[in-house]
Amino acid sequence: MAHIQQGDTRQYFSNHEGNIDFSGQVANLLNQGVNAGVSVAQKANESTLANNQIDLSTKFLAKNNEINTKYQADPTNPQREVELQQAFETLSNQYKINPVCQKQWADIKNNVYNRYKTYNAKWQEEQLNTNAKINLENGYKQFVNQASMLGSNGASVEEVRLLYANGIEALKNGATSQLGEVIVGNALNSATHDYMASYISGLIENNPALAIKMLDDESLRNDIGDSGTIQKLQQSARSKMLKQTEIEAVDRIADYVTKNHEVFSKALDGTLTTAEAQDFLSDKSVDRNMRKILSDMLGYSSKADLWVDVESGEIHSSENDKNSSGSDSFSDENFQVYSTLTIGNKQWSFVNNKGKLRRPSSQEKDEITAELYLQGSQLLNNVSGKTPQESMRKIAEFQANVAQASYFGIDKSDYNKLMNSFVLPATQCIQEEAKNYNANIHQWGRIDKFGYQQIEKYFKPFEDKGEYTKSEREAALKEKSLASIYYWSALNNYCSQNVISMQQLQKMDRHETATIYKNAATSALEKARSTSQAPQLWFRSANPQYVSQIRNLLPNDNANNVITNVAIAAMSNPNMDDKDFQQIIDSQVRNEYAKMRTQNKAVVFGGNTKYDELINNYAMLNGIDPLLIKSIIKQESRFNANAKSSAGAGGLMQLMPDTARGLGVKNVYDPKQNIAAGTKYFANLLNQYEGNIPLALAAYNAGPGNVKKYGNKIPPFKETQNYVRNIMSTYNSIKG
């Protein structure tokens, strides 16, 4: 029917199909199809517009909030509205709209924007209120803080009340226009109480005695209002007075420690004048035992408290009271009050068989000195958690021990080291800390974890009893205490340079203080290292690779000698690089091998063999411990120069033919050629595996290829594993 025109449709249906008239029905059907098509298109457009409306509203909400946040502090700024309009136009122009729907889309855009306009107007009002409240709150805080500053600066209560009246009026005027009188009134309801309480709090820092007196005044109590606040302020004022008393006591004890040191140091030098001795012995603030100790050191009688004549002021003395030099005992029987010396948990008795005090032996002096160093090292830890005054008393007690020990004859140099390393620096630190001491925090010795724990962490490995000897652990404890003193000194220097107190430092931003504490700990460790009396400890901790290398080359005692010498060299030149270290290590190892040869040390360990000289020579030439080569030969051939394996390996070190040829060996059964080549080959393996002896041994037995195949580990061959285990067992047993 493609050739029939639309106008012929009625005629066509009237002349066919039995003359039945279908033309009206067909026309109706066609019209319905057209209308249905229009309806579908319309619905599609409406759906698109609805989706666009939702999408536009969602995107503009995010942009609207972003712009509002930008102008949060200035919500009435006209630029905000300009940016909102521009953002809305940019977003709404992104959509492709059917031309027939443009009017509908324009209405939708206006509807969306107007709704946000209403929303923004409400936001603006709420933001103005919020900002006004924030400004009022911040102004109030500054207002109250001002009162504390006035108190700290010693302003009178009349001045404070006048400034309060002016300040509170300014706060009200600044916020009432936006928030209203009721809200502002409620916000400032407790202003008088807070302001006056803050003023008294500041006054307490400046003049606690005056603050206590003022808190008894009825009118001021009414200004503060709350009885609980008044009670807390009274407690704070009393604590501050106690704090001042504490500081004064600490200063007195610090002066006492310093004075004792000066007097005893001169007494030990023999430069103490009679006038200085009189002044010290007549000072009743000095501990009685300290006066007795000095009196006895000077050789004066200690039978009673009459060291100084009340009338003449002269010291009573007689030749009979003098100590007889060179004698094994002291002449004055009353010296028996010092017959026992107690330091820490150790005690020494110095009464001879005649009932008189005897002089300590050299061994006893060494024991006393060592114990004093140990107690000095533990000094800071012992005072941790104490108040400054208690801490100072601990230091004074330790100094008394040092003074009493000096009476028994410890060396002058040790006396000075003990005082200068422990007593005086600790005294200075605690004296400084006392100025910032908070009576409510009885933990002055709590050193911040960012700093002190760094020092703790550094020295933790030295506690290993398997790695370090007792004397080394005690030396490390001393180094740790010195580092702690230097740490506090670094913090005090920082506070002095920045004109802040330790308390203010602790209240600074957490990340900032963490950096300060860490830097102080780092500088303390560096200073402790540079002044160390045990440089080998620092070297071992910082350079385990060099220590391992040295220990692989030498027996323990000889290795320790080299480690100490290399450590001393490293201290004198802190900028040494790997090449410098290697040169010094090689030189020191050669020197130590020369000593070993002189002492025939390699022969002493592990029993004599006729190949000892060859083993020593070629081991030292290749930088290997001779005892290790000796252990390999024992396992390989049992010192049989003619030994031959089923695989073809021959000689003392069982060299394979290809390996021997590669090393220039002409006769594998010649002990000299065999040991020279085998030692050189093993030295290459040791270097390849960075000094790892078990891996080098595994490669010597199973070949480097197998070691590499199993991830640079000992191959899982029973023969190889037993080989390595047996040689290491032999080596460790003869190395000692």
Side-chain angles (χ1 to χ4, degrees):
M1 292 194 303
H3 65 282
I4 301 176
Q5 301 298 317
Q6 186 173 353
D8 299 329
T9 306
R10 185 181 297 275
Q11 182 63 37
Y12 176 82
F13 279 104
S14 66
N15 295 327
H16 295 82
E17 302 295 334
N19 297 323
I20 298 174
D21 185 6
F22 288 108
S23 59
Q25 298 178 33
V26 171
N28 289 336
L29 288 171
L30 288 173
N31 289 332
Q32 289 174 14
V34 171
N35 292 334
V38 172
S39 176
V40 169
Q42 184 178 353
K43 288 180 179 179
N45 286 333
E46 289 174 355
S47 176
T48 300
L49 291 174
N51 289 336
N52 288 349
Q53 179 180 351
I54 294 170
D55 190 58
L56 174 62
S57 183
T58 302
K59 290 179 179 178
F60 185 58
L61 174 63
K63 196 65 180 176
N64 185 83
N65 289 342
E66 179 186 329
I67 294 171
N68 282 350
T69 301
K70 178 181 175 181
Y71 290 95
Q72 202 165 5
D74 187 15
T76 59
N77 192 322
Q79 186 61 30
R80 183 177 69 90
E81 183 64 31
V82 173
E83 290 189 25
L84 284 170
Q85 289 177 349
Q86 290 174 347
F88 187 78
E89 288 301 322
T90 301
L91 287 172
S92 62
N93 289 338
Q94 294 177 356
Y95 301 95
K96 293 182 179 180
I97 306 300
N98 192 314
V100 300
C101 301
Q102 288 295 337
K103 185 178 184 308
Q104 287 175 280
W105 178 239
D107 292 341
I108 288 172
K109 287 199 300 180
N110 287 335
N111 189 11
V112 170
Y113 190 77
N114 287 335
R115 266 185 280 166
Y116 275 97
K117 207 168 182 181
T118 303
Y119 166 80
N120 284 334
K122 183 179 179 183
W123 171 86
Q124 185 183 63
E125 184 61 28
E126 289 176 349
Q127 195 59 48
L128 285 170
N129 286 342
T130 300
N131 289 351
K133 289 177 180 176
I134 291 173
N135 291 335
L136 178 62
E137 182 180 348
N138 291 339
Y140 184 71
K141 287 179 180 177
Q142 293 177 4
F143 179 59
V144 172
N145 288 339
Q146 179 197 45
S148 178
M149 291 176 60
L150 291 170
S152 297
N153 294 330
S156 68
V157 69
E158 290 78 13
E159 292 172 320
V160 171
R161 282 175 173 150
L162 178 62
L163 290 171
Y164 169 77
N166 293 332
I168 201 70
E169 191 67 25
L171 284 176
K172 287 180 179 178
N173 292 339
T176 300
S177 59
Q178 179 63 38
L179 299 175
E181 291 185 5
V182 175
I183 293 177
V184 173
N186 290 336
L188 300 177
N189 184 46
S190 62
T192 306
H193 306 326
D194 295 343
Y195 193 82
M196 298 309 291
S198 179
Y199 162 66
I200 293 297
S201 181
L203 184 63
I204 287 171
E205 292 301 312
N206 177 63
N207 192 340
L210 179 59
I212 291 174
K213 183 178 179 181
M214 289 180 65
L215 284 168
D216 289 333
D217 182 83
E218 192 63 32
S219 63
L220 185 67
R221 292 170 69 92
N222 289 335
D223 284 342
I224 297 174
D226 181 58
S227 60
T229 301
I230 294 171
Q231 186 176 4
K232 287 180 181 178
L233 288 169
Q234 288 174 326
Q235 291 174 346
S236 177
R238 294 189 189 101
S239 296
K240 180 65 177 179
M241 288 190 68
L242 288 174
K243 176 183 174 181
Q244 289 185 342
T245 305
E246 182 91 356
I247 294 172
E248 291 169 1
V250 168
D251 286 341
R252 283 197 304 273
I253 298 172
D255 291 341
Y256 164 81
V257 169
T258 304
K259 182 178 180 180
N260 288 358
H261 169 54
E262 292 171 353
V263 170
F264 276 90
S265 182
K266 286 184 176 181
L268 289 169
D269 281 338
T271 59
L272 186 68
T273 66
T274 302
E276 288 171 326
Q278 284 180 328
D279 179 60
F280 185 82
L281 296 176
S282 61
D283 185 354
K284 297 301 181 182
S285 67
V286 177
D287 181 75
R288 176 181 173 183
N289 286 332
M290 293 292 284
R291 284 183 284 160
K292 282 185 177 181
I293 292 168
L294 180 68
S295 175
D296 293 341
M297 284 177 66
L298 298 174
Y300 299 127
S301 173
S302 61
K303 294 179 179 179
D305 288 340
L306 300 177
W307 293 285
V308 181
D309 188 289
V310 177
E311 294 181 0
S312 66
E314 295 180 354
I315 302 174
H316 287 291
S317 63
S318 67
E319 289 301 318
N320 293 333
D321 291 329
K322 297 285 185 182
N323 294 333
S324 54
S325 59
S327 171
D328 181 55
S329 62
F330 297 90
S331 60
D332 192 339
E333 294 182 3
N334 287 282
F335 287 172
Q336 289 184 28
V337 294
Y338 303 114
S339 62
T340 301
L341 174 63
T342 302
I343 301 174
N345 296 323
K346 294 190 176 180
Q347 227 178 44
W348 293 266
S349 179
F350 300 111
V351 180
N352 62 17
N353 54 12
K354 296 180 180 179
K356 292 188 176 183
L357 284 189
R358 62 176 177 80
R359 296 183 183 279
S361 64
S362 297
Q363 180 180 345
E364 287 172 324
K365 287 182 182 180
D366 290 342
E367 290 174 357
I368 293 169
T369 304
E371 189 62 26
L372 283 171
Y373 271 108
L374 181 60
Q375 293 299 315
S377 300
Q378 295 173 340
L379 187 61
L380 284 183
N381 291 332
N382 288 342
V383 299
S384 178
K386 309 292 184 182
T387 65
Q389 187 173 352
E390 289 174 310
S391 302
M392 288 299 297
R393 292 197 183 284
K394 288 284 185 183
I395 293 173
E397 288 172 9
F398 175 72
Q399 197 237 1
N401 281 339
V402 176
Q404 189 174 356
S406 67
Y407 165 62
F408 279 110
I410 67 166
D411 291 343
K412 163 74 173 178
S413 61
D414 283 313
Y415 171 84
N416 284 331
K417 283 180 183 178
L418 288 163
M419 292 299 296
N420 294 328
S421 297
F422 303 116
V423 176
L424 297 181
T427 300
Q428 182 181 3
C429 289
I430 298 172
Q431 193 174 11
E432 180 66 27
E433 180 61 22
K435 297 175 183 176
N436 306 313
Y437 174 65
N438 184 338
N440 296 320
I441 305 175
H442 299 286
Q443 288 289 337
W444 83 267
R446 181 190 60 80
I447 307 178
D448 191 275
K449 65 181 179 181
F450 291 108
Y452 189 63
Q453 285 189 1
Q454 188 177 345
I455 295 173
E456 283 275 8
K457 183 179 179 181
Y458 190 93
F459 285 97
K460 185 68 176 174
F462 295 113
E463 298 175 9
D464 186 350
K465 294 183 180 179
E467 180 70 17
Y468 295 96
T469 64
K470 181 181 178 182
S471 60
E472 287 175 330
R473 294 198 302 274
E474 289 179 353
L477 188 60
K478 186 194 304 184
E479 302 287 310
K480 176 183 170 184
S481 293
L482 286 174
S484 302
I485 292 170
Y486 295 146
Y487 171 61
W488 270 106
S489 178
L491 289 184
N492 285 326
N493 288 340
Y494 177 88
C495 291
S496 298
Q497 292 168 4
N498 292 274
V499 197
I500 60 173
S501 67
M502 190 74 75
Q503 196 172 18
Q504 288 171 317
L505 173 64
Q506 293 169 351
K507 291 181 179 179
M508 288 167 59
D509 176 74
R510 178 181 178 83
H511 297 290
E512 188 176 355
T513 53
T515 302
I516 294 168
Y517 291 136
K518 188 173 181 180
N519 290 342
T522 301
S523 67
L525 287 169
E526 289 175 355
K527 187 173 181 181
R529 185 184 297 111
S530 66
T531 60
S532 175
Q533 299 297 313
Q536 70 277 9
L537 295 177
W538 297 88
F539 181 78
R540 285 175 65 179
S541 175
N543 303 283
Q545 73 279 20
Y546 296 130
V547 172
S548 177
Q549 178 187 349
I550 293 168
R551 292 204 181 285
N552 285 338
L553 298 174
L554 294 162
N556 282 342
D557 292 341
N558 303 88
N560 288 337
N561 294 338
V562 172
I563 290 169
T564 300
N565 292 337
V566 174
I568 293 171
M571 277 184 64
S572 62
N573 182 9
N575 298 318
M576 285 172 56
D577 57 20
D578 288 341
K579 184 178 179 181
D580 296 329
F581 269 120
Q582 203 57 58
Q583 288 178 347
I584 291 175
I585 290 171
D586 291 344
S587 173
Q588 290 293 329
V589 168
R590 282 195 295 271
N591 291 341
E592 203 64 29
Y593 277 142
K595 292 179 187 176
M596 289 170 61
R597 292 188 66 182
T598 302
Q599 299 167 358
N600 200 24
K601 194 162 188 174
V603 175
V604 172
F605 288 107
N608 296 343
T609 75
K610 60 184 177 180
Y611 306 115
D612 284 343
E613 186 173 356
L614 288 174
I615 293 171
N616 284 345
N617 289 341
Y618 288 110
M620 286 187 274
L621 183 66
N622 289 280
I624 302 177
D625 185 357
L627 299 180
L628 180 56
I629 299 300
K630 199 170 187 179
S631 302
I632 294 173
I633 293 174
K634 179 184 177 184
Q635 178 67 27
E636 289 285 359
S637 64
R638 294 297 189 271
F639 299 99
N640 179 4
N642 298 313
K644 184 176 182 179
S645 74
S646 58
L652 289 167
M653 296 190 71
Q654 290 290 282
L655 299 178
M656 295 295 288
D658 289 343
T659 303
R661 279 193 297 272
L663 293 167
V665 176
K666 294 181 179 180
N667 180 5
V668 76
Y669 299 108
D670 176 11
K672 183 176 180 179
Q673 293 184 53
N674 190 286
I675 293 174
T679 303
K680 182 177 181 180
Y681 177 59
F682 186 75
N684 292 336
L685 292 175
L686 201 59
N687 184 58
Q688 179 180 340
Y689 297 110
E690 298 180 346
N692 188 315
I693 295 176
L695 275 185
L697 290 172
Y700 192 89
N701 176 260
N706 279 320
V707 172
K708 183 178 180 181
K709 178 181 178 181
Y710 291 97
N712 276 344
K713 295 181 179 179
I714 298 174
F717 310 146
K718 188 173 182 180
E719 177 193 337
T720 301
Q721 291 182 346
N722 287 336
Y723 176 87
V724 173
R725 188 182 301 111
N726 290 340
I727 292 178
M728 290 304 298
S729 176
T730 300
Y731 177 51
N732 289 329
S733 66
I734 65 175
K735 184 178 179 180

